Amino acid sequence: IHFYKRMSDTIDTSNLVENGKNAKQILCIRCKSKILPPQMGTYEEFQFELESMIKETVGQKEMLNQFFRVEDMFDFDNLGFTNTVDTTKFLSCADCDVGPLGYHNLTTKISYVALARVAYAD
């Protein structure tokens, strides 16, 4: 299991992205449950604000800019939802409820997993 630099730093994707897709199994950063199998998420860079996952900064927003786009909810191994705000549902681990790991757009039905919010299996 590898953890990569988090927060506003850009994550080196050389070992994480292959042919535009996630090269490794994506895991929960806390409990290591499987979240997304390899080759199921498409790498994209854009800015989106998610609430902080760090205890000391709970309630504060964090700007993230690297995501894996997942077209179909059924592509996930194990994923839950936290709250819904407007047309956005926030993604969490179905086993330990840590999150938000990303978000689901209710209008487009597309999910986005933040690279900085998950771990990766070898």
Side-chain angles (χ1 to χ4, degrees):
I1 296 174
H2 289 290
F3 297 97
Y4 290 85
K5 224 173 175 186
R6 300 182 45 177
M7 300 313 130
S8 58
D9 300 328
T10 300
I11 294 170
D12 175 12
T13 59
S14 58
N15 292 326
L16 301 178
V17 178
E18 185 176 278
N19 298 322
K21 303 275 190 177
N22 59 307
K24 299 173 182 274
Q25 172 73 51
I26 295 176
L27 307 171
C28 172
I29 203 158
R30 181 192 289 160
C31 75
K32 309 304 175 271
S33 278
K34 290 182 176 183
I35 291 176
L36 186 68
Q39 302 299 311
M40 298 306 284
T42 303
Y43 180 71
E44 290 189 0
E45 289 185 6
F46 60 90
Q47 291 194 327
F48 193 85
E49 241 180 16
L50 291 175
E51 291 229 359
S52 175
M53 287 178 35
I54 301 169
K55 189 164 61 173
E56 292 76 30
T57 56
V58 164
Q60 294 180 26
K61 301 273 187 188
E62 177 184 2
M63 187 62 73
L64 298 163
N65 60 8
Q66 293 173 290
F67 296 87
F68 285 117
R69 183 185 76 232
V70 181
E71 300 286 337
D72 188 340
M73 285 299 299
F74 295 105
D75 289 341
F76 288 103
D77 289 318
N78 197 11
L79 195 71
F81 292 107
T82 58
N83 56 330
T84 302
V85 178
D86 298 322
T87 61
T88 304
K89 275 185 176 279
F90 295 97
L91 307 179
S92 65
C93 174
D95 286 339
C96 74
D97 292 327
V98 72
L101 304 176
Y103 70 98
H104 176 78
N105 183 316
L106 292 169
T107 306
T108 63
K109 306 285 192 243
I110 295 174
S111 300
Y112 298 90
V113 177
L115 274 69
R117 299 285 180 98
V118 292
Y120 305 88
D122 287 325

